[in-house]
Amino acid sequence: MPVPLYQAKADFFRTLGHPVRIRVLELLRDGPRPVRELLGEIEVEASNLSQQLAVLRRTGLVTAVREGGTVVYSLATPDVVDLLAAARRILTDMITGQGELLAELQAEAAK
Amino acid sequence: MPVPLYQAKADFFRTLGHPVRIRVLELLRDGPRPVRELLGEIEVEASNLSQQLAVLRRTGLVTAVREGGTVVYSLATPDVVDLLAAARRILTDMITGQGELLAELQAEAAK
DNA sequence: TCGCAAGTTGAAAAATTCTTAAATTCGTCA
DNA sequence: TGACGAATTTAAGAATTTTTCAACTTGCGA
């Protein structure tokens, strides 16, 4: 296996390795959203959110479209949903029986 | 959504965000392997590999068992395979039509 | 018991990533 | 045109990760 490939994979996962970015992806799961709205749901500075959005954009996980005064973000591919689901399965396994996080993960999976 | 949850998710993805660690998980996909063997397939110092294995162990993604003189690693859960597959789907989408990485990803998916 | 091979650990240096705040761009409206 | 709101960009420092290297176990055979 050539080097650049798993480097690319690692970069990809690293992109997901940030609370704000994960949060954004989960919010976008339900459909496109303007920055203003994201900002309302994630407690973080506007410039910081913008920074994280830039990372997601660069990676190609999300796309941005300007609509008048606001910018609307969406998932670049619905496959992201599968990925987040697979991650949740593993996380559930890992935490089973010992974490306060367990209930939250299960509640989320059920809805 | 409470804070610790997506922090945990982010941490989880960050764990995958390292070339050596990704490499290890992919090798373990085909079954348990002694460190010595992993070392043969990944060009990295023994101590460095050991560090990365420690990260995977701490996260609970892999488990280690001592067998005489060697230590054998395995995936803690087969769900990891799904996760890697989902990641590959997204990566393929993202690169389609424009990367040298594309052919490699497809070849890998086919085998 | 000695010595060697397989792995791991700890700590410091090197490299990356995050955060923060100021400056900037792009539209919209008066 | 001028001012304002929305969002992004940039730069600098702080905080985390990675890498590296030396020291330290553990098991096995001479």
Side-chain angles (χ1 to χ4, degrees):
Chain A
M1 197 185 206
V3 175
L5 180 49
Y6 33 89
Q7 179 63 61
K9 290 181 180 178
D11 288 348
F12 170 72
F13 281 117
R14 185 170 319 197
T15 299
L16 300 175
H18 188 289
V20 170
R21 296 196 292 260
I22 281 285
R23 198 78 203 290
V24 168
L25 293 177
E26 295 189 329
L27 289 171
L28 294 183
R29 221 175 20 183
D30 303 328
R33 299 242 194 168
V35 173
R36 191 116 296 276
E37 233 175 277
L38 296 174
L39 205 46
E41 309 221 35
I42 311 176
E43 71 298 309
V44 70
E45 298 282 323
S47 68
N48 195 339
L49 174 59
S50 208
Q51 195 91 276
Q52 308 310 332
L53 287 172
V55 173
L56 291 172
R57 238 184 297 132
R58 234 176 282 135
T59 310
L61 278 170
V62 306
T63 59
V65 174
R66 168 151 235 144
E67 288 186 6
T70 78
V71 177
V72 176
Y73 279 84
S74 349
L75 290 185
T77 159
D79 287 337
V80 173
V81 176
D82 294 345
L83 188 79
L84 295 176
R88 181 164 54 223
R89 276 198 300 282
I90 295 176
L91 234 24
T92 302
D93 282 3
M94 293 188 336
I95 305 177
T96 292
Q98 62 196 356
E100 37 177 335
L101 297 176
L102 180 58
E104 296 171 16
L105 282 163
Q106 290 177 334
E108 185 181 322
K111 79 174 178 202
Chain B
M1 194 181 200
V3 174
L5 181 49
Y6 33 87
Q7 178 62 61
K9 290 181 180 177
D11 288 347
F12 170 72
F13 280 118
R14 185 168 349 210
T15 300
L16 300 175
H18 188 290
V20 170
R21 296 195 293 260
I22 280 286
R23 198 79 203 290
V24 167
L25 293 178
E26 294 188 330
L27 289 170
L28 294 184
R29 221 175 19 183
D30 303 328
R33 299 240 196 170
V35 173
R36 191 113 297 272
E37 236 174 273
L38 297 175
L39 205 45
E41 311 221 35
I42 311 177
E43 70 299 310
V44 70
E45 298 281 324
S47 68
N48 195 338
L49 175 59
S50 210
Q51 297 277 14
Q52 307 311 330
L53 287 173
V55 173
L56 292 172
R57 238 184 298 131
R58 237 175 280 136
T59 311
L61 279 170
V62 306
T63 58
V65 174
R66 169 151 233 143
E67 288 186 7
T70 77
V71 177
V72 177
Y73 279 84
S74 348
L75 291 185
T77 159
D79 287 338
V80 173
V81 176
D82 295 346
L83 188 78
L84 294 176
R88 181 163 54 222
R89 276 198 301 280
I90 295 176
L91 234 24
T92 303
D93 282 3
M94 292 187 338
I95 305 176
T96 292
Q98 63 197 356
E100 35 176 337
L101 297 178
L102 180 58
E104 296 171 16
L105 282 163
Q106 291 176 334
E108 184 181 323
K111 81 174 177 199

